[in-house]
């Protein structure tokens, strides 16, 4: 189990506390399209503000590659956060500006720094830059699990070079607690993996095969597995170059006695004509497989019966279009009834759960993205390693 120091372990009362958050939100024309990541930080911010801490927020946004890029400014995020907190949020455009503003910061006040990735030193984990960030506060809290797989100035350097006492915020703690339950699962442990690209998820699939008792494959992901088995896929989304990997994964799964469920039937479509076909019969020429069929959902239900732990990543169909969300919504309904410990991850999977008001179907929505997948491989993440407790349990 990963034992990290918690924000509750440190004397934050009236202190200046630097908090690394992940405010890398989707923006369109200066509007925030999804504020989940901002909301995820509210518990830690509330905790600090109640204790009269002065909070200095650090984040990145997008990939400005070390240069100031106006459309990647965090200023709209500061405004949005004001709305959520119902309090003014100060904003510092430059480090000089931040250094000036922290001097006047009052207990309970919040200051957000401009996009850290405007500075090339951030991603280089530059010692001098890290020390300069650290000098803005007295305590460092990492509440950005999703960037903790990167050794950057604001995740690692600030502790490594800045020497601040450090701890994890509530959002990071929750993420680690949930993912630890997948790393050391109660069995049976069943993973459901869908989504669009095998190549993106290959490494995590490899690692999952080592840990799970059941592996349910759906979505475009499953198409490539079916292709590897010699099925006809018509015009479906497939990755022929990943066929070999798919085959190897199946072999590995069978060798480990993992119960693999591939689609028995598929919802296929061609120019508005929608039908269900047996996977074995093949997808007719010109048709695309866009969802799992009802028989497959039934097979999923059986495979999930009695599961003690479930991890779901990736939609089972083209969920953005009617009616190809049905397989995924059906799965969410099965999960909602399950007594297993359930974790869902992946931007599109979580968006689907929100859109159909099915967020209660899982115990934890993992916002970690790439960091979660690395964590689930069993690798310790550099940004979390620096927050680790001593063997004696002491911070
Ligand atoms: P997540 O973001 O949850 O990790 P991915 O990004 O891997 O998931 O995949 C999500 C995308 O996969 C969605 O846009 C969805 O429409 C697409 N998808 C899933 N199944 C299919 C399919 N059978 N055909 C085409 N697209 C699919
Ligand atoms: Mg996605």
């Amino acid at each position: 189990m990963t034992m990290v120091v918690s924000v509750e372990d440190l004397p934050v009362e009236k202190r200046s506390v630097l908090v690394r958050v992940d405010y890398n939100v989707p923006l369109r024309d200066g509007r925030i399209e999804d504020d989940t990541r901002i909301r995820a930080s509210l518990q830690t911010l509330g905790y600090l503000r109640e204790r009269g801490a002065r909070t200095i927020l650090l984040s990145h946004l997008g990939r400005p590659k070390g240069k100031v890029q106006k459309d990647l400014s965090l200023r709209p995020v500061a405004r949005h956060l004001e709305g959520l907190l119902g309090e003014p949020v100060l904003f510092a455009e430059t480090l000089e500006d931040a250094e000036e503003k922290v001097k006047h910061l009052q207990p309970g006040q919040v200051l957000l720094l401009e996009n850290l990735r405007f500075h090339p030193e951030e991603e280089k984990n530059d010692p001098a830059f890290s020390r300069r960030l650290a000098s803005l506060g007295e305590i460092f809290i990492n509440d950005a699990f999703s960037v903790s797989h990167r050794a950057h100035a604001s995740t690692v350097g600030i502790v490594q070079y800045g020497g601040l006492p450090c701890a994890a915020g509530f959002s990071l703690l929750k993420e680690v607690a949930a993912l630890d339950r997948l790393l050391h699962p109660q069995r049976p442990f069943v993973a459901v993996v869908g989504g669009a690209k095998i190549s993106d998820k290959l490494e995590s699939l490899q690692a999952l095969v080592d840990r799970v008792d059941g592996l349910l494959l759906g979505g475009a992901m499953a198409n490539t597995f079916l292709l590897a088995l010699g099925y006809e896929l018509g015009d479906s989304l497939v990755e022929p170059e990943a066929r070999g990997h798919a085959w190897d994964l199946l072999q590995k799964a069978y060798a480990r006695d993992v119960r693999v469920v591939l689609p028995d039937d598929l919802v296929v479509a061609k120019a508005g004509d929608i039908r269900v076909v047996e996977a074995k019969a093949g997808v007719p020429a010109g048709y695309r497989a866009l969802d799992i069929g009802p028989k497959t959902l039934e097979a999923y239900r059986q495979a999930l019966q009695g599961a003690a732990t479930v991890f779901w990543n990736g939609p089972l169909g083209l969920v953005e279009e009617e009616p190809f969300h049905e397989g995924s919504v059906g799965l969410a309904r099965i999960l909602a009834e399950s007594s297993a410990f359930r974790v869902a991850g992946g931007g599109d999977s979580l968006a689907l759960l929100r859109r159909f008001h099915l967020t209660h179907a899982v115990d934890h929505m993992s916002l970690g993205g790439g960091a979660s997948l690395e964590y689930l491989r069993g690798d310790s993440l550099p940004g979390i390693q620096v927050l680790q407790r001593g063997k004696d349990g002491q911070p």
Side-chain angles (χ1 to χ4, degrees):
M1 286 289 150
T2 316
M3 290 296 285
V4 295
V5 183
S6 155
V7 57
E8 290 179 297
D9 294 324
L10 299 186
V12 297
E13 283 75 10
K14 305 262 170 16
R15 299 292 184 87
S16 295
V17 182
L18 286 153
V19 186
R20 178 51 156 113
V21 287
D22 181 2
Y23 288 169
N24 182 27
V25 291
L27 277 175
R28 187 181 292 175
D29 308 323
R31 274 185 45 91
I32 291 157
E33 292 196 296
D34 180 350
D35 68 353
T36 310
R37 285 182 161 164
I38 304 177
R39 287 176 187 275
S41 71
L42 291 180
Q43 191 184 351
T44 298
L45 297 190
Y47 179 88
L48 293 174
R49 293 179 65 230
E50 275 167 27
R51 283 158 185 76
R54 301 166 170 84
T55 305
I56 302 125
L57 297 172
L58 309 172
S59 181
H60 75 285
L61 177 61
R63 295 167 189 261
K65 306 232 168 77
K67 293 204 187 73
V68 175
Q69 207 179 308
K70 270 225 153 83
D71 57 336
L72 292 178
S73 170
L74 279 167
R75 208 178 262 284
V77 174
R79 242 175 281 131
H80 191 88
L81 181 61
E82 279 184 342
L84 294 176
L85 293 175
E87 293 281 346
V89 171
L90 305 179
F91 188 74
E93 206 151 321
T94 61
L95 277 185
E96 293 74 22
D97 189 15
E99 282 157 350
E100 202 42 45
K101 284 189 170 134
V102 290
K103 286 189 205 153
H104 310 290
L105 210 56
Q106 299 301 311
Q109 275 194 325
V110 179
L111 168 70
L112 172 64
L113 264 60
E114 181 56 290
N115 193 345
L116 290 179
R117 290 195 189 163
F118 286 177
H119 305 270
E121 298 92 338
E122 159 66 1
E123 291 184 79
K124 288 187 189 135
N125 192 20
D126 178 76
F129 181 75
S130 301
R131 279 187 213 105
R132 202 169 166 195
L133 286 181
S135 72
L136 294 171
E138 301 164 280
I139 288 177
F140 172 67
I141 304 295
N142 183 354
D143 209 18
F145 176 85
S146 46
V147 287
S148 297
H149 57 320
R150 308 270 182 238
H152 292 169
S154 65
T155 55
V156 170
I158 200 164
V159 180
Q160 187 183 9
Y161 305 114
L164 291 183
C166 59
F170 295 109
S171 163
L172 189 148
L173 288 169
K174 250 184 255 170
E175 189 81 25
V176 166
L179 296 178
D180 275 345
R181 287 180 70 173
L182 300 184
L183 271 179
H184 309 279
Q186 276 200 19
R187 300 192 174 277
F189 177 19
V190 178
V192 187
V193 184
K197 288 187 91 182
I198 286 205
S199 40
D200 282 357
K201 294 188 178 172
L202 194 64
E203 284 187 50
S204 34
L205 267 175
Q206 299 269 16
L208 275 174
V209 167
D210 285 330
R211 298 184 202 283
V212 296
D213 304 293
L215 181 61
L216 318 186
L217 296 166
M221 165 76 68
N223 291 345
T224 302
F225 282 87
L226 294 174
L227 192 71
L229 294 172
Y231 291 51
E232 294 291 336
L233 271 303
D235 282 356
S236 307
L237 185 58
V238 288
E239 284 183 82
E241 22 357 293
R243 234 182 325 188
H245 288 305
W247 179 262
D248 293 343
L249 262 168
L250 287 176
Q251 294 304 309
K252 187 174 167 192
Y254 295 141
R256 292 181 169 273
D257 234 357
V258 173
R259 176 174 178 188
V260 178
V261 180
L262 278 163
D264 290 329
D265 57 349
L266 297 160
V267 180
V268 302
K270 175 188 174 183
D273 176 35
I274 300 174
R275 53 176 89 165
V276 177
V277 302
E278 298 289 316
K280 267 205 186 103
V283 177
Y287 283 75
R288 295 191 296 156
L290 296 178
D291 198 4
I292 58 166
K295 269 195 199 166
T296 305
L297 190 63
E298 217 29 60
Y300 276 24
R301 187 191 305 281
Q302 275 175 24
L304 286 164
Q305 210 143 55
T309 308
V310 179
F311 176 57
W312 175 20
N313 180 288
L316 307 177
L318 182 70
V319 286
E320 296 84 354
E321 281 182 36
E322 296 271 330
F324 310 111
H325 62 282
E326 281 175 5
S328 304
V329 167
L331 170 67
R333 298 224 162 94
I334 293 170
L335 293 182
E337 304 277 291
S338 162
S339 57
F341 176 69
R342 303 143 300 180
V343 177
D348 294 289
S349 311
L350 300 184
L352 173 99
L353 289 175
R354 284 190 213 102
R355 187 149 50 94
F356 290 93
H357 307 288
L358 284 163
T359 54
H360 63 277
V362 295
D363 298 286
H364 180 71
M365 310 233 286
S366 172
L367 304 177
S372 305
L373 299 176
E374 283 195 27
Y375 194 88
L376 287 178
R377 291 211 304 252
D379 301 345
S380 69
L381 310 184
I384 292 184
Q385 216 157 9
V386 295
L387 310 175
Q388 215 95 267
R389 273 174 205 277
K391 289 251 183 317
D392 53 1
Q394 293 305 305

